[in-house]
Amino acid sequence: MEAVLQNSALLPLLLPTRSRPSLYPVSIPQTLSLSFSSSLFPPRFPIHISSRSHSLPGFFSHPSRNSRPFHVSASAVAVQKTGKDRSPVDVLVTETKEPNSSVRLSVEVPPAVCQQCYRKVIDEFARQAKIPGFRPGKKVPENILVNYIGRNNVQQAAIEATLKKTLPQAMASVEGRALKDSVRIVTKFSEMNDVFSLQDAFRYEVVADVAPEVKWLSENKYKNLKIVVEIDNIIEAQSASEREIQRRHKALGLLRIVTDRGLQIGDLVVLDILAKSIGQDESEGEKIPSAERKGFHLDTEESDNLLPGILDSIIGIRQGETKSFPLQFPESWEQENLRGVCAQFTVECKELFYRDLPQLDDLLAENLLPGCNSLDQVREAILQRCKEVEQTAIEQATDNAILDQLSKIVEVDIPKSLLEEQGRQLYGAKLLQLQVEKKINESQLASLSSERAVGQFINNEKENISKIIKQMLAVGEIFKCENLQFSTEELIEEVENSIAEFKRHNQEYDEEHVREQVQDVLEGAKVLEWLRENAEIQYVKQ
């Protein structure tokens, strides 16, 4: 199944368990609430609190020259839009730059704020609690209320209220820079609970990923790019059209059993293939399962993907005959564990056929391509189609070469949250492709959607994911610098098309996220168009 995933195409998809990361800064909400298991009254606005800050590499460093204190007043960022909670509050915040485009905010809350939050918690409990011996609405002495609720419970609620009140002000320095869903309190709640006091300053730390800066490594940035595009010979229109006519001609032939000779080029043969590694002392080693085949159908005219040497070694083999011969896997072989390995192959010819082909002339034109009356018409029509495919392939190869070049001339300190979210999208795209192609069932999908499977994919594909993020950020920078634009009509049309595609495959989708993705695609298209017109592009055949 892992091999299937590695070879699947990518489609735009958001995994339903996580939201799509924004590559653009977002505003910090003016009101934030906290979700603790210790809460005695329901929170309104949840925010993630990390209780495992020690397990997050890269989030701890000593204060450096990048540290800088500042003060923020609630007069600039309101905590609550309710009348009594608009009093100015001074919060001391020290910002420290961290690796991977993140910042650490060390927050110091004065005792007066903690006392104010504590009083509000007491008032809230007094309104909600039903204490035996006291009528509803009657003031309950604080010591009795605290003993009834539990001193530790009251303190935990006071900590939540303090965080709720001060976090928006603490985050004011990264407003407009923080990435979506990346803000997290990294101080353990248990640590805050141990040191909380109404007489002393209250301290906690917050980490947020910020929009990464794109640094161009070239003096001219993205201008005057020199792009070399390698074109595969297989897409060359003339040769591709000839291969297509040959394929169609062969499809019209009849297979007949070979009885009086051995295998020759043009035949189709069914083989059983066994392989064992050869040791340094030329003794046979272990079997090589990935190189073995049972009932393998080989068209001798289409053997490009076959291990070099196999076809030459079995030319002349007759039905029922077995041949054994040594071969070495080339160093460029796709499977790394087989590169350079010497193996002893044993091949048995199970069945041998030749094609009885009809005469290739004008009488066959209609069968080769419906609507054609002559072989020349067939050749012209197929050549025209191949030219269209060739042009599309060249354009795609050009775009890929441009994007590859962009990733090489930019330097980006990629935030961890952005790397993870982009990885989730790529992994989700692979799963969607497998679903569409019906290569996995529901139980396999559930297994492949586990956090462990996603995490392994992100770890294994980290280099490729980072490259994609660099390309996306570079494209966004060029789009902005060159004042490129796309029309509202284009956006609406592409969003509708994308949603229709999701519906066609019965896939869940978030319209806002689809819109963001479409915007990225349209931006990319405009940038690539601009670069194709303004770059020096050279085409070479492989």
Side-chain angles (χ1 to χ4, degrees), residues 292 342 362 404 437 463 527 535:
E292 296 184 354
C342 292
D362 290 347
D404 185 62
E437 296 175 353
E463 184 176 347
V527 169

Side-chain angles (χ1 to χ4, degrees), residues 7-171:
N7 294 325
S8 298
L10 299 181
L11 295 174
L13 173 73
L14 301 170
L15 281 181
T17 55
R18 298 292 295 269
S19 62
R20 179 182 184 277
S22 172
L23 295 182
Y24 304 97
V26 298
S27 298
I28 303 300
Q30 293 186 328
T31 56
L32 292 173
S33 235
L34 309 139
S35 180
F36 288 119
S37 59
S38 60
S39 178
L40 297 179
F41 42 89
R44 296 181 181 85
F45 308 94
I47 181 172
H48 173 64
I49 305 298
S50 173
S51 60
R52 299 181 297 169
S53 57
H54 61 282
S55 65
L56 299 176
F59 288 154
F60 289 88
S61 64
H62 297 289
S64 65
R65 290 176 296 176
N66 293 325
S67 301
R68 56 185 180 89
F70 60 90
H71 284 79
V72 183
S73 172
S75 58
V77 182
V79 178
Q80 299 280 354
K81 294 187 178 180
T82 55
K84 293 184 179 180
D85 206 21
R86 292 183 178 175
S87 58
V89 174
D90 287 330
V91 177
L92 180 64
V93 182
T94 302
E95 178 181 320
T96 308
K97 288 185 178 180
E98 298 271 322
N100 305 117
S101 293
S102 64
V103 294
R104 176 180 294 271
L105 304 177
S106 300
V107 185
E108 181 177 316
V109 183
V113 177
C114 299
Q115 294 165 13
Q116 183 185 30
C117 293
Y118 176 82
R119 292 309 319 168
K120 290 195 173 188
V121 166
I122 291 295
D123 292 343
E124 185 71 22
F125 279 132
R127 285 194 296 270
Q128 294 186 13
K130 296 180 181 179
I131 302 177
F134 291 88
R135 294 191 303 273
K138 182 175 177 61
K139 185 174 181 180
V140 180
E142 183 177 325
N143 62 329
I144 295 177
L145 179 65
V146 171
N147 287 334
Y148 179 78
I149 299 298
R151 187 170 300 277
N152 190 54
N153 290 334
V154 172
Q155 178 167 302
Q156 290 179 348
I159 293 172
E160 289 191 34
T162 303
L163 291 170
K164 193 186 306 183
K165 183 179 183 65
T166 61
L167 188 58
Q169 300 137 59
M171 296 304 301

Side-chain angles (χ1 to χ4, degrees), residues 183-211:
V183 179
R184 54 214 180 270
I185 297 176
V186 294
T187 305
K188 294 181 180 179
F189 188 79
S190 59
E191 294 175 359
M192 290 188 276
N193 194 39
D194 289 341
V195 300
F196 185 80
S197 169
L198 297 180
Q199 286 75 44
D200 300 320
F202 173 61
R203 296 176 178 84
Y204 62 92
E205 293 192 334
V206 182
V207 168
D209 292 338
V210 296

